[in-house]
Amino acid sequence: MAYWHREASRRQKLEERHPELAGDRRPVLAHEGIFARRPLRAGDDVAAAIAEVRGAAGAGGAGAVDASAPDFPPVSRPAAARPTVPVTTPPRPTVPRPTAPVRSTRGTPS
């Protein structure tokens, strides 16, 4: 534990001297769907972030994301594939329990 504490202290001192190394420490609010390429962080303007993503999708550039598409499209199965009988699990087999304790025959003459 002492090693990791020294490493964290050393990194903190380095980031205080060189703030450009610190990075963004704001919490991430959204990182899936349209925000997969650029996460939405606390303090970001949501409307501007969405407009930026839609602008990238409209431009058709590399990494364009369709902002109008839902994150998880509904799964549809044909009617024939739907089960008509409820699925049940078979009953577990019962194992008979011994009624009397089993005595060891080890060490007894035969």
XYZ file of all heavy atoms in Angstrom:
817
model
N 0.826 -1.189 0.000
C 0.000 0.000 0.000
C 0.876 1.261 0.000
O 0.523 2.250 -0.611
C -0.927 0.007 1.220
C -2.053 -1.023 1.168
S -3.216 -0.737 -0.154
C -4.050 0.688 0.459
N 1.970 1.193 0.714
C 2.844 2.356 0.799
C 3.394 2.720 -0.583
O 3.512 3.907 -0.919
C 3.982 2.088 1.773
N 3.699 1.698 -1.398
C 4.208 1.951 -2.746
C 3.196 2.746 -3.561
O 3.534 3.743 -4.201
C 4.544 0.630 -3.436
C 4.818 0.788 -4.908
C 6.042 1.271 -5.351
C 3.855 0.472 -5.856
C 6.306 1.432 -6.692
C 4.101 0.632 -7.204
C 5.322 1.105 -7.618
O 5.580 1.276 -8.953
N 1.932 2.313 -3.562
C 0.903 2.984 -4.354
C 0.620 4.384 -3.814
O 0.324 5.303 -4.578
C -0.370 2.144 -4.407
C -0.167 0.919 -5.222
C -0.162 -0.367 -4.788
C 0.105 0.860 -6.629
N 0.096 -1.224 -5.825
C 0.256 -0.501 -6.974
C 0.230 1.810 -7.623
C 0.534 -0.910 -8.265
C 0.502 1.391 -8.914
C 0.650 0.042 -9.221
N 0.735 4.566 -2.496
C 0.554 5.899 -1.927
C 1.663 6.838 -2.409
O 1.394 7.986 -2.785
C 0.541 5.820 -0.393
C 0.334 7.146 0.257
N -0.865 7.808 0.203
C 1.179 7.941 0.963
C -0.762 8.954 0.841
N 0.473 9.053 1.318
N 2.905 6.359 -2.419
C 4.016 7.182 -2.917
C 3.832 7.507 -4.394
O 4.082 8.636 -4.823
C 5.353 6.453 -2.709
C 5.876 6.525 -1.293
C 7.336 6.041 -1.201
N 7.537 4.714 -1.770
C 7.400 3.574 -1.091
N 7.060 3.599 0.178
N 7.610 2.412 -1.683
N 3.402 6.508 -5.176
C 3.193 6.749 -6.609
C 2.106 7.794 -6.840
O 2.240 8.668 -7.687
C 2.815 5.446 -7.329
C 3.972 4.502 -7.527
C 5.034 5.072 -8.452
O 4.684 5.590 -9.528
O 6.213 5.014 -8.084
N 0.994 7.707 -6.104
C -0.090 8.673 -6.257
C 0.358 10.061 -5.832
O 0.027 11.065 -6.484
C -1.299 8.232 -5.442
N 1.120 10.151 -4.750
C 1.635 11.449 -4.294
C 2.588 12.041 -5.319
O 2.544 13.248 -5.610
C 2.350 11.296 -2.961
O 1.462 10.848 -1.973
N 3.439 11.206 -5.883
C 4.388 11.659 -6.898
C 3.641 12.166 -8.137
O 3.986 13.222 -8.693
C 5.305 10.497 -7.269
C 6.581 10.914 -7.912
C 7.532 9.764 -8.128
N 7.804 9.098 -6.848
C 8.201 7.851 -6.717
N 8.383 7.105 -7.786
N 8.435 7.331 -5.539
N 2.611 11.447 -8.554
C 1.825 11.864 -9.720
C 1.078 13.170 -9.442
O 1.006 14.046 -10.302
C 0.837 10.755 -10.106
C -0.050 11.075 -11.267
C 0.736 11.176 -12.555
N -0.106 11.663 -13.621
C 0.216 11.642 -14.883
N 1.362 11.142 -15.259
N -0.591 12.112 -15.786
N 0.552 13.317 -8.225
C -0.165 14.529 -7.857
C 0.767 15.745 -7.890
O 0.392 16.807 -8.397
C -0.791 14.370 -6.478
C -1.668 15.526 -6.068
C -2.315 15.299 -4.716
O -1.977 14.353 -4.007
N -3.233 16.162 -4.362
N 1.965 15.586 -7.384
C 2.936 16.690 -7.407
C 3.313 17.054 -8.844
O 3.453 18.236 -9.180
C 4.191 16.318 -6.619
C 3.972 16.267 -5.131
C 5.218 15.789 -4.413
C 4.945 15.592 -2.938
N 6.101 15.009 -2.227
N 3.477 16.039 -9.693
C 3.788 16.285 -11.098
C 2.665 17.055 -11.779
O 2.899 18.003 -12.527
C 4.046 14.960 -11.817
C 4.342 15.052 -13.306
C 5.709 15.695 -13.527
C 4.286 13.679 -13.938
N 1.399 16.661 -11.517
C 0.248 17.340 -12.122
C 0.091 18.761 -11.596
O -0.402 19.636 -12.309
C -1.017 16.531 -11.881
C -1.055 15.244 -12.684
C -2.253 14.373 -12.351
O -3.040 14.728 -11.454
O -2.393 13.312 -12.982
N 0.503 19.030 -10.341
C 0.453 20.398 -9.818
C 1.467 21.290 -10.536
O 1.191 22.457 -10.805
C 0.720 20.393 -8.312
C -0.430 19.851 -7.498
C -0.075 19.674 -6.035
O 1.085 19.946 -5.633
O -0.962 19.227 -5.284
N 2.643 20.741 -10.836
C 3.659 21.515 -11.550
C 3.308 21.685 -13.024
O 3.610 22.709 -13.626
C 5.020 20.826 -11.435
C 5.674 20.992 -10.094
C 7.088 20.446 -10.152
N 7.065 19.085 -10.696
C 7.572 18.016 -10.089
N 8.181 18.149 -8.943
N 7.491 16.839 -10.644
N 2.706 20.649 -13.620
C 2.379 20.667 -15.057
C 0.892 20.334 -15.229
O 0.527 19.173 -15.431
C 3.226 19.641 -15.812
C 4.685 19.830 -15.630
N 5.406 20.804 -16.283
C 5.586 19.177 -14.836
C 6.674 20.737 -15.925
N 6.812 19.756 -15.036
N 0.014 21.347 -15.153
C -1.435 21.073 -15.217
C -1.884 20.440 -16.533
O -2.928 19.787 -16.582
C -2.083 22.445 -15.037
C -0.997 23.418 -14.812
C 0.303 22.736 -14.957
N -1.109 20.585 -17.597
C -1.517 19.987 -18.879
C -1.489 18.458 -18.826
O -2.114 17.788 -19.652
C -0.629 20.496 -20.022
C 0.817 20.071 -19.956
C 1.710 20.958 -19.103
O 1.205 21.855 -18.420
O 2.932 20.724 -19.128
N -0.792 17.882 -17.873
C -0.739 16.423 -17.726
C -1.905 15.863 -16.915
O -2.124 14.662 -16.889
C 0.574 16.005 -17.058
C 1.856 16.342 -17.812
C 3.065 15.945 -16.980
C 1.874 15.639 -19.149
N -2.642 16.732 -16.223
C -3.690 16.272 -15.308
C -4.864 15.632 -16.030
O -5.455 14.689 -15.540
C -4.175 17.426 -14.435
N -5.225 16.120 -17.193
C -6.374 15.566 -17.889
C -7.682 16.094 -17.310
O -7.707 16.929 -16.403
N -8.780 15.590 -17.807
C -10.109 16.032 -17.381
C -10.595 15.130 -16.262
O -10.740 13.927 -16.439
C -11.072 15.980 -18.573
C -12.341 16.749 -18.315
O -12.529 17.237 -17.194
O -13.143 16.876 -19.262
N -10.835 15.692 -15.106
C -11.253 14.908 -13.943
C -12.748 15.011 -13.665
O -13.222 14.529 -12.645
C -10.479 15.350 -12.715
C -9.004 15.102 -12.885
C -8.399 14.796 -11.588
N -7.004 14.443 -11.778
C -6.488 13.341 -11.305
N -7.218 12.515 -10.636
N -5.229 13.078 -11.504
N -13.488 15.659 -14.566
C -14.930 15.774 -14.354
C -15.589 14.412 -14.549
O -15.159 13.616 -15.381
C -15.541 16.766 -15.340
C -15.052 18.184 -15.135
C -15.644 19.111 -16.158
N -15.196 18.713 -17.483
C -15.829 19.034 -18.607
N -16.916 19.754 -18.585
N -15.359 18.642 -19.768
N -16.653 14.120 -13.781
C -17.322 12.823 -13.946
C -18.009 12.700 -15.303
O -18.494 13.682 -15.852
C -18.339 12.791 -12.801
C -18.454 14.181 -12.315
C -17.222 14.921 -12.717
N -18.036 11.489 -15.824
C -18.677 11.194 -17.099
C -20.145 10.917 -16.838
O -20.508 10.074 -16.014
C -18.008 9.985 -17.786
C -18.764 9.581 -19.035
C -16.571 10.299 -18.116
N -21.023 11.645 -17.539
C -22.467 11.476 -17.377
C -23.040 10.485 -18.377
O -23.981 9.769 -18.064
C -23.182 12.821 -17.521
C -22.739 13.919 -16.545
C -23.482 15.209 -16.848
C -22.976 13.484 -15.116
N -22.496 10.464 -19.596
C -22.988 9.548 -20.619
C -21.808 9.121 -21.493
O -20.997 9.949 -21.894
C -24.055 10.219 -21.477
N -21.725 7.820 -21.773
C -20.626 7.327 -22.601
C -21.086 6.285 -23.602
O -20.272 5.663 -24.257
C -19.521 6.733 -21.721
C -19.977 5.570 -20.899
N -19.935 4.288 -21.355
C -20.517 5.525 -19.664
C -20.415 3.482 -20.418
N -20.773 4.205 -19.387
N -22.390 6.106 -23.738
C -22.911 5.126 -24.688
C -23.759 5.830 -25.732
O -24.103 6.995 -25.594
C -23.744 4.076 -23.955
C -22.935 3.240 -22.988
C -23.812 2.264 -22.224
O -25.043 2.428 -22.222
O -23.258 1.341 -21.626
N -24.130 5.084 -26.753
C -24.999 5.634 -27.791
C -24.295 6.720 -28.574
O -23.180 6.531 -29.057
N -24.931 7.877 -28.675
C -24.341 8.961 -29.463
C -23.110 9.552 -28.796
O -22.337 10.249 -29.436
C -25.384 10.061 -29.766
C -25.868 10.736 -28.488
C -26.545 9.502 -30.559
C -26.747 11.954 -28.731
N -22.910 9.282 -27.520
C -21.747 9.801 -26.816
C -20.621 8.766 -26.713
O -19.730 8.896 -25.885
C -22.139 10.279 -25.418
C -23.154 11.385 -25.440
C -24.448 11.161 -25.039
C -22.802 12.643 -25.879
C -25.376 12.177 -25.065
C -23.731 13.675 -25.913
C -25.028 13.435 -25.502
N -20.651 7.746 -27.556
C -19.647 6.690 -27.499
C -18.264 7.213 -27.893
O -17.265 6.838 -27.298
C -20.039 5.526 -28.400
N -18.186 8.076 -28.888
C -16.894 8.590 -29.352
C -16.373 9.723 -28.473
O -15.181 9.884 -28.319
C -17.015 9.095 -30.782
C -17.486 8.028 -31.726
C -16.392 7.659 -32.634
N -16.887 6.600 -33.508
C -16.111 5.735 -34.063
N -14.829 5.798 -33.847
N -16.599 4.805 -34.821
N -17.280 10.543 -27.955
C -16.884 11.676 -27.103
C -17.846 11.709 -25.926
O -18.978 12.156 -26.059
C -16.968 12.980 -27.883
C -16.468 14.172 -27.094
C -16.550 15.453 -27.935
N -16.228 16.587 -27.115
C -17.122 17.277 -26.411
N -18.377 16.929 -26.421
N -16.753 18.309 -25.687
N -17.428 11.243 -24.757
C -18.328 11.167 -23.603
C -18.820 12.539 -23.160
O -18.123 13.545 -23.291
C -17.465 10.546 -22.511
C -16.291 9.967 -23.189
C -16.104 10.705 -24.459
N -20.033 12.560 -22.635
C -20.609 13.770 -22.076
C -20.162 13.864 -20.625
O -20.366 12.944 -19.843
C -22.144 13.709 -22.162
C -22.881 14.910 -21.588
C -22.626 16.137 -22.458
C -24.359 14.620 -21.502
N -19.517 14.970 -20.271
C -19.004 15.154 -18.915
C -19.814 16.202 -18.176
O -20.532 16.989 -18.789
C -17.532 15.582 -18.968
C -16.636 14.505 -19.538
C -15.187 14.877 -19.359
N -14.312 13.809 -19.753
C -13.846 12.881 -18.935
N -14.174 12.879 -17.678
N -13.049 11.942 -19.371
N -19.709 16.182 -16.849
C -20.410 17.156 -16.020
C -19.944 18.554 -16.412
O -18.751 18.815 -16.569
C -20.123 16.895 -14.546
N -20.900 19.463 -16.586
C -20.578 20.833 -16.969
C -20.666 21.076 -18.460
O -20.669 22.226 -18.897
N -20.723 20.036 -19.281
C -20.864 20.208 -20.724
C -22.288 20.633 -21.052
O -23.244 20.247 -20.376
C -20.562 18.903 -21.473
C -19.087 18.546 -21.476
O -18.278 19.398 -21.083
O -18.761 17.410 -21.862
N -22.433 21.424 -22.121
C -23.749 21.821 -22.607
C -24.314 20.652 -23.418
O -23.742 20.269 -24.448
C -23.630 23.077 -23.468
C -24.986 23.591 -23.929
O -26.007 23.228 -23.311
O -25.014 24.369 -24.909
N -25.426 20.090 -22.947
C -25.995 18.897 -23.579
C -26.445 19.205 -24.998
O -26.165 18.438 -25.932
C -27.164 18.339 -22.732
C -27.799 17.153 -23.419
C -26.686 17.965 -21.346
N -27.131 20.329 -25.198
C -27.631 20.678 -26.533
C -26.480 20.852 -27.514
O -26.543 20.387 -28.666
C -28.480 21.941 -26.456
N -25.409 21.506 -27.074
C -24.261 21.700 -27.959
C -23.578 20.376 -28.277
O -23.141 20.148 -29.408
C -23.268 22.663 -27.316
N -23.504 19.489 -27.292
C -22.872 18.182 -27.525
C -23.686 17.364 -28.525
O -23.126 16.719 -29.413
C -22.725 17.430 -26.210
N -25.010 17.401 -28.402
C -25.864 16.657 -29.342
C -25.748 17.259 -30.736
O -25.664 16.542 -31.734
C -27.319 16.624 -28.840
C -27.402 15.758 -27.583
C -28.259 16.107 -29.920
C -28.750 15.764 -26.919
N -25.751 18.593 -30.819
C -25.610 19.245 -32.123
C -24.274 18.902 -32.760
O -24.190 18.686 -33.974
C -25.752 20.753 -31.958
N -23.235 18.823 -31.955
C -21.916 18.457 -32.475
C -21.920 17.042 -33.035
O -21.374 16.772 -34.097
C -20.874 18.578 -31.364
C -19.475 18.233 -31.792
C -18.496 18.342 -30.629
O -18.646 19.256 -29.818
O -17.582 17.492 -30.574
N -22.566 16.109 -32.338
C -22.633 14.725 -32.805
C -23.458 14.641 -34.076
O -23.083 13.967 -35.035
C -23.214 13.815 -31.703
C -23.527 12.436 -32.255
C -22.262 13.723 -30.543
N -24.573 15.347 -34.116
C -25.411 15.322 -35.329
C -24.697 15.975 -36.492
O -24.854 15.549 -37.637
C -26.746 15.998 -35.052
C -27.614 15.150 -34.175
C -29.034 15.582 -34.197
N -29.825 14.638 -33.402
C -30.896 14.951 -32.733
N -31.354 16.176 -32.752
N -31.545 14.037 -32.041
N -23.894 17.005 -36.214
C -23.125 17.647 -37.283
C -22.089 16.702 -37.855
O -21.877 16.651 -39.061
N -21.449 15.918 -37.001
C -20.468 14.940 -37.476
C -21.153 13.843 -38.272
O -20.624 13.353 -39.255
C -19.702 14.337 -36.297
N -22.370 13.462 -37.859
C -23.103 12.424 -38.583
C -23.566 12.946 -39.936
O -23.562 12.227 -40.925
C -24.291 11.942 -37.760
N -23.967 14.221 -39.980
C -24.423 14.806 -41.238
C -23.275 14.998 -42.212
O -23.445 14.905 -43.414
N -22.091 15.286 -41.687
C -20.929 15.488 -42.556
C -20.473 14.176 -43.172
O -19.832 14.159 -44.210
C -19.792 16.118 -41.760
N -20.778 13.059 -42.499
C -20.403 11.759 -43.040
C -18.931 11.478 -42.920
O -18.399 10.629 -43.615
N -18.274 12.202 -42.029
C -16.840 12.008 -41.840
C -16.562 10.702 -41.127
O -17.444 9.933 -40.777
N -15.291 10.463 -40.901
C -14.884 9.246 -40.197
C -15.423 9.304 -38.774
O -15.351 10.325 -38.110
C -13.364 9.129 -40.188
N -15.987 8.233 -38.339
C -16.521 8.181 -36.984
C -17.897 8.789 -36.862
O -18.328 9.126 -35.773
N -18.582 8.988 -37.998
C -19.913 9.565 -37.934
C -20.873 8.586 -37.271
O -20.824 7.387 -37.499
C -20.401 9.894 -39.343
N -21.728 9.146 -36.443
C -22.693 8.342 -35.709
C -24.074 8.837 -36.068
O -24.315 10.047 -36.107
C -22.464 8.479 -34.180
C -23.504 7.690 -33.415
C -21.074 8.025 -33.825
N -25.006 7.935 -36.341
C -26.374 8.323 -36.631
C -27.063 8.650 -35.321
O -27.411 7.776 -34.546
C -27.099 7.189 -37.357
C -28.512 7.586 -37.769
O -28.831 8.791 -37.671
O -29.278 6.703 -38.172
N -27.250 9.954 -35.047
C -27.826 10.391 -33.775
C -29.317 10.118 -33.700
O -29.889 10.105 -32.619
C -27.562 11.877 -33.576
N -29.976 9.904 -34.846
C -31.419 9.658 -34.809
C -31.737 8.191 -34.530
O -32.858 7.862 -34.171
C -32.052 10.064 -36.134
O -31.517 9.259 -37.178
N -30.770 7.311 -34.726
C -31.012 5.880 -34.499
C -31.058 5.597 -33.004
O -30.285 6.157 -32.248
C -29.918 5.051 -35.153
N -31.962 4.733 -32.569
C -31.992 4.398 -31.145
C -30.752 3.608 -30.762
O -30.116 2.967 -31.589
C -33.262 3.558 -31.003
C -33.513 3.003 -32.356
C -32.982 4.029 -33.325
N -30.398 3.680 -29.482
C -29.216 2.971 -29.002
C -29.381 1.461 -29.141
O -28.488 0.764 -29.561
C -28.946 3.304 -27.537
C -28.513 4.746 -27.382
O -28.101 5.338 -28.379
O -28.583 5.253 -26.260
N -30.555 0.951 -28.754
C -30.814 -0.483 -28.796
C -32.130 -0.701 -29.535
O -33.196 -0.508 -28.960
C -30.916 -1.058 -27.384
C -29.671 -0.870 -26.591
C -29.574 0.113 -25.634
C -28.575 -1.667 -26.823
C -28.414 0.290 -24.911
C -27.414 -1.493 -26.101
C -27.331 -0.516 -25.148
N -32.071 -1.078 -30.819
C -33.318 -1.286 -31.544
C -34.076 -2.469 -30.955
O -33.483 -3.416 -30.450
C -32.861 -1.586 -32.980
C -31.449 -2.009 -32.845
C -30.897 -1.352 -31.624
N -35.415 -2.413 -31.005
C -36.189 -3.514 -30.444
C -35.973 -4.794 -31.241
O -35.809 -4.769 -32.458
C -37.641 -3.036 -30.564
C -37.612 -1.972 -31.604
C -36.249 -1.359 -31.562
N -35.944 -5.880 -30.549
C -35.759 -7.179 -31.185
C -37.131 -7.716 -31.551
O -38.018 -7.818 -30.709
C -35.048 -8.160 -30.217
C -34.938 -9.522 -30.853
C -33.692 -7.619 -29.848
N -37.306 -8.027 -32.822
C -38.584 -8.582 -33.250
C -38.348 -9.992 -33.763
O -37.395 -10.253 -34.490
C -39.213 -7.720 -34.339
O -38.375 -7.677 -35.462
N -39.198 -10.901 -33.324
C -39.112 -12.284 -33.788
C -40.365 -12.591 -34.591
O -41.445 -12.107 -34.269
C -39.035 -13.233 -32.598
C -37.800 -13.026 -31.753
C -37.658 -14.078 -30.705
N -38.805 -14.072 -29.802
C -38.985 -14.921 -28.812
N -38.105 -15.860 -28.590
N -40.030 -14.856 -28.032
N -40.239 -13.412 -35.619
C -41.436 -13.794 -36.359
C -42.379 -14.590 -35.450
O -41.963 -15.215 -34.481
C -40.917 -14.666 -37.505
C -39.470 -14.821 -37.302
C -39.040 -13.959 -36.169
N -43.661 -14.558 -35.797
C -44.671 -15.213 -34.969
C -44.400 -16.712 -34.844
O -44.671 -17.314 -33.812
C -46.061 -14.980 -35.545
N -43.849 -17.336 -35.888
C -43.604 -18.779 -35.840
C -42.484 -19.117 -34.846
O -42.446 -20.210 -34.307
C -43.238 -19.288 -37.228
N -41.588 -18.186 -34.605
C -40.472 -18.462 -33.713
C -40.848 -18.292 -32.236
O -40.117 -18.714 -31.366
C -39.319 -17.535 -34.041
N -41.992 -17.668 -31.984
C -42.397 -17.473 -30.597
C -42.874 -18.796 -30.016
O -43.611 -19.545 -30.654
C -43.514 -16.446 -30.511
C -43.044 -15.063 -30.862
C -44.095 -14.039 -30.525
N -43.615 -12.726 -30.896
C -44.214 -11.943 -31.778
N -45.326 -12.322 -32.351
N -43.700 -10.780 -32.063
N -42.476 -19.110 -28.800
C -42.934 -20.365 -28.201
C -44.433 -20.293 -27.886
O -44.939 -19.279 -27.417
C -42.113 -20.480 -26.920
C -41.642 -19.099 -26.632
C -41.560 -18.390 -27.938
N -45.136 -21.383 -28.195
C -46.572 -21.417 -27.929
C -46.869 -22.104 -26.612
O -47.945 -21.955 -26.069
C -47.310 -22.164 -29.064
O -46.715 -23.458 -29.207
C -47.181 -21.395 -30.368
N -45.917 -22.879 -26.120
C -46.088 -23.589 -24.859
C -45.131 -22.952 -23.858
O -43.982 -22.687 -24.188
C -45.751 -25.095 -25.032
C -45.880 -25.838 -23.724
C -46.622 -25.696 -26.100
N -45.585 -22.700 -22.643
C -44.659 -22.111 -21.688
C -43.473 -23.041 -21.430
O -43.622 -24.252 -21.337
C -45.495 -21.906 -20.426
C -46.753 -22.659 -20.640
C -46.904 -22.909 -22.097
N -42.327 -22.454 -21.348
C -41.116 -23.222 -21.140
C -40.978 -23.497 -19.646
O -41.035 -22.598 -18.826
C -39.883 -22.440 -21.644
C -38.608 -23.208 -21.386
C -40.040 -22.128 -23.116
N -40.816 -24.767 -19.306
C -40.632 -25.141 -17.910
C -39.380 -25.999 -17.802
O -38.971 -26.657 -18.757
C -41.834 -25.938 -17.359
O -42.004 -27.115 -18.158
C -43.107 -25.114 -17.414
N -38.822 -26.018 -16.652
C -37.651 -26.863 -16.440
C -38.120 -28.203 -15.898
O -39.097 -28.273 -15.152
C -36.683 -26.216 -15.438
O -37.378 -25.989 -14.224
C -36.144 -24.910 -15.977
N -37.439 -29.277 -16.275
C -37.853 -30.583 -15.773
C -37.600 -30.672 -14.264
O -36.729 -29.989 -13.743
C -36.969 -31.567 -16.532
C -35.802 -30.766 -16.983
C -36.294 -29.370 -17.160
N -38.377 -31.493 -13.576
C -38.160 -31.611 -12.133
C -36.809 -32.247 -11.844
O -36.318 -33.077 -12.599
C -39.306 -32.506 -11.664
C -39.747 -33.235 -12.882
C -39.464 -32.340 -14.045
N -36.214 -31.831 -10.746
C -34.930 -32.388 -10.358
C -35.123 -33.800 -9.830
O -36.069 -34.062 -9.096
C -34.298 -31.518 -9.286
C -33.954 -30.136 -9.800
C -33.388 -29.272 -8.724
N -32.174 -29.871 -8.193
C -31.557 -29.446 -7.114
N -32.043 -28.440 -6.436
N -30.444 -30.033 -6.688
N -34.247 -34.715 -10.204
C -34.393 -36.078 -9.692
C -34.120 -36.104 -8.187
O -33.241 -35.399 -7.696
C -33.344 -36.877 -10.459
C -32.357 -35.857 -10.908
C -33.108 -34.584 -11.088
N -34.889 -36.903 -7.498
C -34.684 -37.016 -6.056
C -33.725 -38.152 -5.774
O -33.748 -39.204 -6.416
C -36.017 -37.285 -5.338
O -36.600 -38.468 -5.874
C -36.962 -36.116 -5.531
N -32.861 -37.926 -4.836
C -31.879 -38.930 -4.449
C -32.318 -39.484 -3.101
O -32.540 -38.729 -2.163
C -30.476 -38.298 -4.327
C -29.454 -39.320 -3.878
C -30.073 -37.676 -5.646
N -32.489 -40.825 -3.020
C -32.920 -41.361 -1.727
C -31.830 -41.158 -0.676
O -30.650 -41.342 -0.922
C -33.157 -42.845 -2.012
C -32.397 -43.131 -3.254
C -32.311 -41.844 -4.016
N -32.264 -40.751 0.489
C -31.352 -40.527 1.598
C -31.287 -41.788 2.442
O -32.305 -42.449 2.659
C -31.836 -39.367 2.469
C -32.032 -38.085 1.714
C -30.703 -37.381 1.590
N -30.901 -36.125 0.865
C -30.011 -35.613 0.079
N -28.873 -36.228 -0.105
N -30.225 -34.501 -0.535
N -30.117 -42.147 2.937
C -30.028 -43.334 3.786
C -30.766 -43.084 5.105
O -30.711 -41.993 5.662
C -28.535 -43.521 4.006
C -27.920 -42.205 3.689
C -28.829 -41.537 2.705
N -31.462 -44.103 5.563
C -32.223 -43.949 6.797
C -31.366 -44.255 8.018
O -31.594 -43.697 9.078
C -33.443 -44.894 6.786
O -32.990 -46.219 6.528
C -34.416 -44.475 5.711
N -30.409 -45.146 7.879
C -29.543 -45.486 9.000
C -28.125 -45.064 8.642
O -27.744 -45.050 7.467
C -29.585 -46.975 9.281
N -27.317 -44.732 9.608
C -25.948 -44.352 9.271
C -25.190 -45.533 8.662
O -25.382 -46.680 9.048
C -25.348 -43.933 10.603
C -26.265 -44.436 11.652
C -27.596 -44.646 11.019
N -24.374 -45.227 7.706
C -23.585 -46.247 7.025
C -22.354 -46.519 7.874
O -21.634 -45.617 8.254
C -23.187 -45.777 5.620
C -22.333 -46.820 4.934
C -24.412 -45.452 4.800
N -22.148 -47.796 8.187
C -21.007 -48.172 9.013
C -19.863 -48.580 8.109
O -20.059 -49.214 7.075
C -21.384 -49.316 9.933
C -22.525 -48.906 10.869
C -22.871 -49.979 11.805
N -21.702 -50.214 12.674
C -21.690 -51.076 13.669
N -22.755 -51.796 13.926
N -20.637 -51.223 14.406
N -18.676 -48.255 8.530
C -17.498 -48.583 7.752
C -17.134 -50.040 7.992
O -17.200 -50.557 9.098
C -16.328 -47.698 8.181
O -15.145 -48.123 7.557
N -16.720 -50.720 6.926
C -16.282 -52.113 7.034
C -14.760 -52.200 7.042
O -14.202 -53.272 6.974
C -16.836 -52.934 5.863
O -16.410 -52.328 4.651
C -18.330 -53.000 5.931
N -14.109 -51.081 7.100
C -12.659 -51.058 7.083
C -12.115 -51.646 8.383
O -12.558 -51.301 9.459
C -12.200 -49.605 6.941
C -10.699 -49.497 6.921
C -10.319 -48.077 6.784
N -9.947 -47.868 5.359
C -9.484 -46.744 4.887
N -9.422 -45.690 5.655
N -9.135 -46.647 3.638
N -11.192 -52.524 8.257
C -10.538 -53.108 9.412
C -11.277 -54.302 10.016
O -10.838 -54.873 11.005
N -12.399 -54.702 9.466
C -13.118 -55.865 9.981
C -12.770 -57.079 9.144
O -12.607 -56.982 7.929
C -14.634 -55.637 9.957
O -15.035 -55.372 8.622
C -15.038 -54.477 10.838
N -12.647 -58.214 9.773
C -12.324 -59.429 8.984
C -13.517 -59.810 8.102
O -14.670 -59.632 8.450
C -12.054 -60.493 10.037
C -12.627 -59.971 11.298
C -12.716 -58.497 11.185
N -13.227 -60.383 6.949
C -14.305 -60.763 6.059
C -14.695 -62.199 6.179
O -14.094 -63.080 6.579
C -14.005 -60.510 4.602
O -12.752 -60.217 4.243
